[in-house]
């Protein structure tokens, strides 16, 4: 979820430097102390550099080590924090449950990580295994199990020489909607603001600096009916937080933002940048003295890769590469998956994924969410890795029988999800016009909808269980879990129908929103 509010995001650093953060409620350290917070967020499996040589944990470690050396020379302290979503995005990582990413974070010396919504892309036993790999605490104050106990530690106190820092975690409540329903069953995501209001006064009595490590998003929730849980809202609602290290919205804040006496930072996505915040703790107050984003091989001076990190990660990168490199088909042109376009209109790639499901299941209609499509297909050879990058979640194709009247209602509910959200629907086999809170002129496979006729509708298990705000259908009579993963269905279709011409899948205007 990316928000483009640049006119609000980057107040001048000069203004920030004149403003102190929230006052402490105790005497503070005996002598002035400096604290540098390094931060990342929304890593999404990018442990290895991309084809352009950008980012990757080996170069990130070099950036981090340089700052640590600088701080140590000046007698300062450093904390390295991540604001969540280590999972989902790159096949080499996804196939290994993000083990290379976590092992690399251990080697880099991360101090804490917030639980992101994509940590629930896997079953809880996988998340627990990932937690066991971590040499750092995984924090979330507002996630509770069925017994009413917190699922993760709420906070961690870092007792540094002459300075105590409290870091507490928060996870977006929208995980209850966007998380995989099968993996979050029995869990409660309590309002982040309520949890913070309870925790912050306690932490202020114990620590010189209070940091909220949050996977909330810079701006408000994109889902209708959900509370506004962005980091801006948190800062306004809960005084006493010195710094909010945020994630989830993939927002690149080039400089820290001051909101109600709280510094808010976020470092974009994928480890393209390491964020840096410099603080001075003196006289019972925490003051911002600097902040920026440090690019990781995005141009300019090249950052060398740490050789020990490369040696650690290389075996993971090579594991399974033979299968991933296998060419399964060809594209005659680009199937574009630009995030802003994919989540606001019907696209050739959206229809291709729906067409593949129709071909596999024989369904009359297919409804898929745009958020389930994570990358495009470039012209030329298509490998299995390319397909897994497009569809990385491993969702299972499902079908359900509906009457024409039920299908019309289903189309209305799915088409009403807002543009810009991951729930924005891509369709196959149907056409209609959404106007005035209803769907008109519905056609299925070119024929007018018949209210009493039975139709087979395909989607995936995530959406069928109510994910992304979709109406739940996995409890209806005639529901079938096919057992076919969406990526394998797409791979098989590509293999049978190559070369693929994007023009053959281009939107025809059959789905209209007025």
């Amino acid at each position: 979820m990316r928000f483009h509010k640049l006119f609000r995001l980057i107040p001048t650093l000069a203004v920030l430097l004149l403003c102190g953060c929230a006052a402490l409620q105790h005497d503070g350290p005996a002598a002035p102390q400096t604290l540098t917070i390094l931060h990342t967020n929304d890593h999404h499996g990018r442990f290895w550099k991309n084809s352009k040589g950008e980012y990757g944990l080996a170069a990130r470690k070099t950036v981090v080590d340089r700052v640590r050396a600088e701080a140590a020379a000046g007698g300062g302290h450093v904390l390295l924090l991540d604001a969540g979503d280590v999972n989902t995005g790159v096949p080499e990582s996804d196939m290994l449950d993000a083990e290379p990413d976590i092992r690399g974070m251990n080697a880099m010396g991360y101090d804490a990580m917030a639980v992101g919504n994509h940590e629930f892309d896997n079953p809880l036993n996988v998340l627990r295994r990932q937690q066991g790999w971590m040499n750092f605490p995984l924090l979330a104050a507002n996630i509770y199990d069925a017994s009413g106990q917190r699922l993760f530690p709420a906070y961690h106190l870092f007792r540094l020489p002459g300075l105590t820092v409290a870091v507490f975690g928060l996870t977006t409540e929208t995980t209850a909607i966007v998380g995989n329903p099968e993996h979050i069953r029995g869990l409660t995501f309590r309002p982040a603001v309520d949890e913070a209001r309870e925790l912050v006064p306690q932490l202020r009595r114990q620590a010189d600096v209070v940091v909220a490590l949050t996977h909330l998003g810079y701006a408000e929730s994109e889902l209708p009916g959900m509370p506004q849980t962005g980091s801006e809202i948190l800062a306004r609602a809960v005084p006493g937080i010195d710094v909010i290290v945020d994630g989830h919205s993939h927002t690149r804040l080039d400089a820290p933002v001051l909101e109600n006496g709280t510094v808010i930072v976020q470092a974009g996505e994928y480890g393209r940048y390491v964020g840096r915040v410099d603080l001075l703790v003196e006289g019972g107050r925490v003051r911002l003295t600097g902040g920026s984003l440090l690019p990781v091989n995005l141009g300019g001076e090249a950052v060398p890769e740490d050789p020990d990190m490369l040696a650690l990660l290389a075996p993971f990168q090579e594991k399974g590469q033979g299968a991933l490199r296998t060419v399964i088909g060809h594209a005659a042109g680009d199937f574009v998956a630009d995030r802003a376009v994919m989540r606001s209109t019907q696209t050739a790639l959206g229809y291709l994924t729906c067409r593949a499901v129709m071909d596999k299941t024989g369904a009359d209609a297919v409804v898929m969410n745009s958020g389930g499509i994570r990358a495009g297909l470039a012209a030329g050879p298509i490998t299995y890795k390319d397909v897994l990058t497009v569809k990385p979640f491993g969702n299972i194709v499902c079908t359900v029988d509906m009457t024409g009247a039920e299908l019309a209602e289903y189309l209305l509910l799915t088409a009403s999800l807002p543009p810009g959200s991951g729930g924005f629907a891509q369709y196959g086999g149907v056409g209609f016009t959404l106007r005035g809170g209803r769907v008109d002129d519905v056609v299925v496979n070119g024929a007018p909808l018949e209210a009493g006729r039975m139709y087979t509708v395909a989607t995936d298990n995530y959406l069928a269980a109510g994910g992304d705000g979709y109406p739940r259908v996995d409890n209806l009579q005639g529901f079938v879990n096919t057992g076919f993963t969406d990526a394998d269905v797409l791979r098989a279709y590509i293999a049978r129908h190559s070369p693929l011409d994007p023009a053959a899948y281009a939107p025809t205007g059959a789905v209209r929103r007025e």
Side-chain angles (χ1 to χ4, degrees):
M1 313 171 194
R2 197 185 309 267
F3 301 87
H4 301 283
K5 298 185 178 180
L6 296 180
F7 63 97
R8 300 174 61 192
L9 298 187
I10 310 174
T12 63
L13 188 57
V15 172
L16 290 174
L17 296 179
L18 295 174
C19 301
C21 297
L24 295 170
Q25 297 180 4
H26 56 84
D27 293 335
Q33 300 287 333
T34 60
L35 172 65
T36 295
I37 297 174
L38 298 178
H39 59 95
T40 53
N41 58 275
D42 297 281
H43 170 82
H44 287 298
R46 267 68 176 188
F47 72 89
W48 199 258
K49 62 187 175 183
N50 68 4
S51 60
K52 299 178 182 178
E54 298 172 333
Y55 53 82
L57 292 182
R60 189 192 303 182
K61 187 175 189 302
T62 300
V63 173
V64 169
D65 287 349
R66 286 174 176 175
V67 176
R68 282 198 177 115
E70 174 194 326
H77 308 291
V78 176
L79 287 178
L80 177 58
L81 307 176
D82 187 86
D85 273 8
V86 71
N87 284 313
T88 307
V90 176
E92 293 91 337
S93 173
D94 297 344
M95 292 171 63
L96 301 172
D97 293 331
E99 182 178 359
D101 311 82
I102 294 168
R103 301 292 187 194
M105 292 173 74
N106 288 340
M108 203 178 304
Y110 270 81
D111 292 293
M113 174 181 155
V115 177
N117 60 290
H118 280 285
E119 270 55 88
F120 294 96
D121 289 345
N122 300 309
L124 187 57
N125 67 311
V126 174
L127 179 51
R128 288 304 192 200
R129 185 164 70 250
Q130 292 176 322
Q131 190 178 11
W133 291 332
M134 296 175 182
N135 293 340
F136 47 87
L138 185 61
L139 304 176
N142 64 322
I143 305 177
Y144 289 78
D145 63 19
S147 70
Q149 300 298 309
R150 283 190 171 114
L151 201 64
F152 303 94
Y155 65 90
H156 188 85
L157 292 176
F158 294 92
R159 302 191 184 278
L160 309 173
L163 187 71
T164 299
V165 182
V167 178
F168 71 97
L170 292 170
T171 303
T172 174
E173 304 103 314
T174 62
T175 307
I177 288 182
V178 302
N180 189 315
E182 295 178 3
H183 301 161
I184 62 174
R185 188 169 290 115
L187 302 183
T188 300
F189 296 82
R190 295 186 183 177
V193 166
D194 292 350
E195 296 293 315
R197 282 175 173 156
E198 178 182 331
L199 273 175
V200 170
Q202 302 173 28
L203 298 178
R204 289 238 66 89
R205 292 190 290 270
Q206 302 177 67
D208 305 298
V209 183
V210 174
V211 178
L213 185 58
T214 67
H215 196 79
L216 299 179
Y218 180 71
E220 66 274 6
S221 166
E222 68 178 22
L223 296 170
M226 293 298 294
Q228 295 183 328
T229 56
S231 50
E232 287 181 302
I233 302 300
L234 178 66
R236 294 171 194 159
V238 184
I241 302 172
D242 295 306
V243 181
I244 298 176
V245 175
D246 195 26
H248 186 49
S249 57
H250 296 225
T251 306
R252 194 187 82 188
L253 294 177
D254 291 316
V257 172
L258 192 67
E259 186 70 55
N260 193 33
T262 297
V263 173
I264 302 174
V265 293
Q266 194 177 149
E269 61 188 6
Y270 307 157
R272 297 178 189 275
Y273 300 90
V274 174
R276 174 175 181 168
V277 183
D278 295 307
L279 304 171
L280 176 66
V281 185
E282 182 179 23
R285 296 187 67 84
V286 180
R287 185 162 59 90
L288 177 71
T289 59
S292 62
L293 296 183
L294 308 176
V296 183
N297 283 335
L298 300 183
E301 179 186 359
V303 177
E305 294 181 292
D306 180 86
D308 292 335
M309 183 69 82
L310 278 178
L312 171 68
L313 298 178
F316 291 109
Q317 178 69 6
E318 289 302 315
K319 193 173 184 179
Q321 281 291 298
L324 292 177
R325 294 191 188 108
T326 302
V327 174
I328 58 170
H330 290 77
D334 292 336
F335 285 86
V336 179
D338 178 81
R339 189 183 184 97
V341 175
M342 178 65 67
R343 297 187 179 202
S344 62
T345 188
Q346 303 301 294
T347 67
L349 184 56
Y351 182 64
L352 171 64
T353 61
C354 291
R355 185 68 245 179
V357 171
M358 292 178 69
D359 190 68
K360 182 69 173 181
T361 64
D364 299 297
V366 178
V367 184
M368 293 290 176
N369 63 325
S370 295
I373 299 173
R374 308 302 283 192
L377 291 172
I382 301 172
T383 65
Y384 187 33
K385 177 180 177 179
D386 294 329
V387 174
L388 289 171
T389 306
V390 174
K391 303 290 284 186
F393 297 113
N395 289 325
I396 307 301
V397 172
C398 302
T399 63
V400 61
D401 293 331
M402 298 183 184
T403 65
E406 291 170 336
L407 175 55
E409 179 68 13
Y410 186 72
L411 294 175
L412 173 61
L413 294 173
T414 56
S416 298
L417 292 167
S421 72
F424 184 85
Q426 300 285 328
Y427 295 96
V430 295
F432 58 86
T433 300
L434 176 66
R435 62 162 70 94
R438 66 180 190 275
V439 288
D440 295 330
D441 307 320
V442 180
V443 296
V444 182
N445 290 323
L449 180 77
E450 299 177 35
R453 178 180 168 180
M454 296 301 297
Y455 295 92
T456 299
V457 181
T459 185
D460 63 41
N461 62 312
Y462 168 66
L463 301 176
D468 252 349
Y470 276 56
R472 186 175 179 183
V473 297
D474 63 354
N475 54 353
L476 300 181
Q477 187 175 7
F479 175 81
V480 176
N481 182 318
T482 69
F484 304 129
T485 63
D486 51 4
D488 282 340
V489 168
L490 180 59
R491 177 182 57 83
Y493 183 88
I494 291 172
R496 285 195 302 272
H497 294 86
S498 286
L500 301 174
D501 183 358
Y505 299 87
T508 63
V511 175
R512 300 175 296 279
R513 292 172 170 84
E514 297 182 354

